[in-house]
Amino acid sequence: MSDFDGQAPLPAESLCTAAGALGDRARAVLLHSPRPVFLFYLAQTFDQLGTQLARGLRPEPATPAEQLCLYLMLTHVERNCPGIDLSRDRALLTQRAGADLRTEFRAITGKSGDTYDFIALGDVLGAGGMGAFFAPFDSTDLVA
């Protein structure tokens, strides 16, 4: 499995561990959230990315949710695995996503740098934004 620009392999095992840990964090606050369905789908997104990585598949984010979750997984690995530098991969994801991903990332990192506030992410997105967050990037085949 290679990184996003085809240069070096991503540490798949570390990313799988990050997917599990972050999915568990989302599930941990699920019952205390005003938007438990959102957090359920967020945890499921981490699980799906972890499953892809465990199968040896290269992560190809198809939704804003997958893109943000992968970004968080890369950040988690870097924070918890000294010597692994994935900043280039995170920067590439941010560059492709533009301001939206950076805004969402700031919303969940908020006051503390080590834990993520997934409830705040739901608050930033609001009801209309949540549907778009989990919708595929290319949704041109939808019927009005």
Side-chain angles (χ1 to χ4, degrees), residues 19 22-27 29-30 35-49 63-70 72-73 104 108 116-122 125 130 133-134:
L22 293 169
D24 288 347
R25 285 185 192 177
R27 278 185 282 280
V29 296
L30 192 138
R35 295 179 177 86
V37 173
F38 168 75
L39 292 176
F40 172 79
Y41 284 119
L42 188 66
Q44 192 174 38
T45 301
F46 282 118
D47 294 344
Q48 291 168 346
L49 288 169
T63 68
E66 290 177 358
Q67 191 172 41
L68 180 65
C69 288
L70 184 56
L72 294 175
M73 290 161 53
E104 291 161 358
I108 61 173
Y116 300 124
D117 187 349
F118 294 123
I119 294 173
L121 176 60
L125 293 173
M130 285 184 201
F133 188 63
F134 293 104

Side-chain angles (χ1 to χ4, degrees), residues 16-101:
C16 286
T17 301
L22 293 169
D24 288 347
R25 285 185 192 177
R27 278 185 282 280
V29 296
L30 192 138
L31 296 177
H32 307 290
S33 167
R35 295 179 177 86
V37 173
F38 168 75
L39 292 176
F40 172 79
Y41 284 119
L42 188 66
Q44 192 174 38
T45 301
F46 282 118
D47 294 344
Q48 291 168 346
L49 288 169
T51 298
Q52 287 176 357
L53 288 160
R55 292 181 179 160
L57 301 174
R58 183 175 161 210
E60 296 280 344
T63 68
E66 290 177 358
Q67 191 172 41
L68 180 65
C69 288
L70 184 56
Y71 185 90
L72 294 175
M73 290 161 53
L74 291 165
T75 302
H76 182 84
V77 168
E78 245 185 356
R79 286 181 179 166
N80 294 291
C81 300
I84 295 179
D85 180 11
L86 300 173
S87 57
R88 188 177 64 179
D89 300 300
R90 281 194 334 272
L92 186 57
L93 271 175
T94 304
Q95 179 184 22
R96 287 182 184 168
D100 290 342
L101 180 64

